Amino acid sequence: MAEYDIRMVALDLDGTVFNDQKQITPRTLAALRAALARGVTVLPATGRPLAGAPREFLAIPGVDWALTSNGGCVWRLAGRQPAVRLLLSPAQARQVLEVLTGLDCTIDLYADGWAYTTAAHLARLETLVEPELLPYIRASRRTVPDLAAFAAAEPGIEKFSCQFGAAGHRQAARDRLTALGYEVTCSLGTNLEINAPGVTKGAALLTLAEQLGIRRDQVMACGDSDNDAAMLRAAGLGVAMGNAEPAARAAADAVTATNQEDGVALALARYIPGVAEQLRQEGCGWD
């Protein structure tokens, strides 16, 4: 196995750190703590807004950063300060809304660490997502009377997120927005996530690494979905989960176990010296 000097690890949440029950297992939590204890910067890298990032991850001592909105904003958790902002302009937000208007979809607009939507969109969204996601959805959404008016007045749009009821409408939206140059990805079978041109988890991650004086070859990332592919390509070591979608696997340098098998813990133990031994000492290693 090649030698790595990993100083930063970015971790997707759903399907990666979380198992299918939306939990961080004791072994994965122990591995995160072991990596942090060895001076590695560990941060979530998620499509969620900051308000939807799980407290059980952010509250781990030593977790100082959160990459959110697929790279739209990286937050320094102390003081809730944005460190990297890669935003859609008001004109771009207006154009995205024009494309989506009239399609069979819900629309969430991410700004300032929250997801904003209308009451009608939120009610429909709750019928389209899996039940395990409802607590996250309800905790991270704020309703506004009119999304177009909100977007026109909001100077910093991080991302759009849409859930589609009709597959044909989803594909039409993806084709149109991609042709216009936007970054269009998905993390669930029926959704689309729209960022400004060139804005990905990977772009934001390398921007933060540069700010912290960490080289690309010292950056590791783990993910499983279409919206993780750019991050896995950008990192010096991209690790796809065993349950990863084809786009994520194709972008990765290595594959670990699934999210149901503590794949993140296994990757940290494999590539960061001392983590495997720490897990064994705590009684949560592998036989």
Side-chain angles (χ1 to χ4, degrees):
M1 185 177 70
E3 291 289 329
Y4 293 97
D5 177 25
I6 301 300
R7 303 295 178 87
M8 174 181 280
V9 177
L11 300 170
D12 174 56
L13 297 178
D14 298 301
T16 302
V17 171
F18 290 160
N19 62 18
D20 291 347
Q21 291 71 46
K22 305 303 178 186
Q23 300 167 335
I24 303 177
T25 68
R27 177 186 275 164
T28 293
L29 183 58
L32 297 177
R33 288 173 171 159
L36 287 161
R38 282 150 182 80
V40 177
T41 297
V42 178
L43 68 155
T46 179
R48 301 183 183 204
L50 182 61
R55 298 298 103 185
E56 61 266 38
F57 195 135
L58 300 189
I60 299 170
V63 174
D64 297 327
W65 309 90
L67 189 160
T68 67
S69 300
N70 285 345
C73 191
V74 180
W75 296 87
R76 186 183 184 97
L77 297 177
R80 198 179 181 275
Q81 294 297 315
V84 178
R85 302 185 83 197
L86 305 175
L87 306 173
L88 292 127
S89 70
Q92 290 171 329
R94 183 170 60 250
Q95 186 176 54
V96 171
L97 283 171
E98 288 172 354
V99 171
L100 297 174
T101 298
L103 298 179
D104 181 16
C105 68
T106 65
I107 304 173
D108 293 335
L109 185 157
Y110 290 24
D112 192 33
W114 291 88
Y116 293 87
T117 191
T118 65
H121 280 304
L122 179 57
R124 180 81 192 286
L125 177 61
E126 292 186 356
T127 71
L128 294 175
V129 300
E130 57 192 273
E132 292 84 357
L133 285 174
L134 288 178
Y136 148 64
I137 294 293
R138 292 166 180 164
S140 60
R141 265 60 180 172
R142 291 177 168 179
T143 58
V144 296
D146 186 297
L147 277 178
F150 180 86
E154 174 59 50
I157 307 301
E158 298 168 11
K159 188 188 89 164
F160 283 87
S161 180
C162 307
Q163 289 283 344
F164 285 80
H169 286 205
R170 178 175 178 270
Q171 190 59 50
R174 183 164 200 162
D175 291 346
R176 176 63 175 150
L177 291 165
T178 300
L180 290 169
Y182 295 97
E183 294 292 336
V184 185
T185 57
C186 64
S187 59
L188 300 169
T190 61
N191 87 331
L192 287 181
E193 303 176 13
I194 303 111
N195 287 80
V199 176
T200 65
K201 289 183 181 183
L205 178 61
L206 292 188
T207 300
L208 177 64
E210 183 177 7
Q211 289 183 8
L212 299 181
I214 297 172
R215 302 190 311 270
R216 175 179 177 269
D217 64 282
Q218 295 173 318
V219 176
M220 172 179 160
C222 298
D224 74 299
S225 295
D226 178 55
N227 69 341
D228 298 317
M231 178 174 72
L232 298 181
R233 284 193 296 269
L237 175 60
V239 181
M241 303 298 292
N243 51 290
E245 296 173 2
R249 281 180 175 264
D253 302 296
V255 178
T256 187
T258 72
N259 66 318
Q260 289 288 89
E261 302 167 317
D262 292 309
V264 165
L266 183 62
L268 295 175
R270 181 174 294 166
Y271 297 112
I272 298 176
V275 171
E277 178 58 29
Q278 183 65 39
L279 292 180
R280 283 193 292 270
Q281 290 177 8
E282 295 184 18
C284 53
W286 288 265
D287 294 333

